[in-house]
Amino acid sequence: QVQLVESGGGLVQPGGSLRLSCAASGSIFSLNTMGWYRQAPGKQRELVAQIKPDGSRDIADSVKGRFTISRDSAKNTVYLQMGSLKPEDTAVYYCNAWRYRGLKLTREDYWGQGTQVTVSS
């Protein structure tokens, strides 16, 4: 099993910045992609950003140019630096990590408990 522990959420004013951290522990060998999803009230969970083992990144259009994702492999930690925050960025942010398991290469996802980010004046 893999445990993901998030930190760094909170209340911030519009235009402000926050950095989220997610530390992975447990059976972390062969983890593939790590990333962040978010879910606002009444909406589906959506991908915010993810980083692959080769360092390539996928960033949602809604946050492109404002959010960056990075990964410290030595610390098994992924970061989400959020800038120019808007009220519509308010959501619970979830850390995600996955890997392939078994001969059929089934994707196995792991999730953090979520951290609240509220953007409000």
Side-chain angles (χ1 to χ4, degrees):
Q1 289 295 318
V2 174
Q3 294 79 43
L4 302 175
V5 179
E6 301 131 334
S7 60
L11 173 65
V12 63
Q13 292 186 341
S17 300
L18 277 177
R19 189 176 82 153
L20 304 183
S21 301
C22 172
S25 62
S27 301
I28 60 175
F29 62 92
S30 73
L31 276 180
N32 196 298
T33 299
M34 294 185 71
W36 293 91
Y37 288 69
R38 68 185 181 186
Q39 187 167 20
K43 294 188 176 182
Q44 288 190 331
R45 190 174 296 189
E46 62 176 0
L47 174 68
V48 178
Q50 62 184 10
I51 184 166
K52 301 173 183 177
D54 63 0
S56 61
R57 296 160 170 83
D58 298 313
I59 309 289
D61 288 342
S62 59
V63 304
K64 200 167 288 184
R66 300 188 296 120
F67 291 12
T68 58
I69 187 169
S70 60
R71 184 171 179 174
D72 185 333
S73 296
K75 295 182 178 180
N76 301 310
T77 300
V78 64
Y79 304 96
L80 184 68
Q81 181 67 49
M82 305 185 292
S84 301
L85 283 159
K86 305 175 181 180
E88 50 264 43
D89 294 318
T90 295
V92 178
Y93 284 70
Y94 295 91
C95 181
N96 169 265
W98 62 268
R99 63 183 171 206
Y100 292 116
R101 293 296 299 272
L103 296 176
K104 295 184 178 181
L105 298 181
T106 303
R107 174 171 162 163
E108 184 173 84
D109 281 76
Y110 300 94
W111 295 93
Q113 79 283 0
T115 185
Q116 178 70 47
V117 171
T118 303
V119 184
S120 175
S121 54

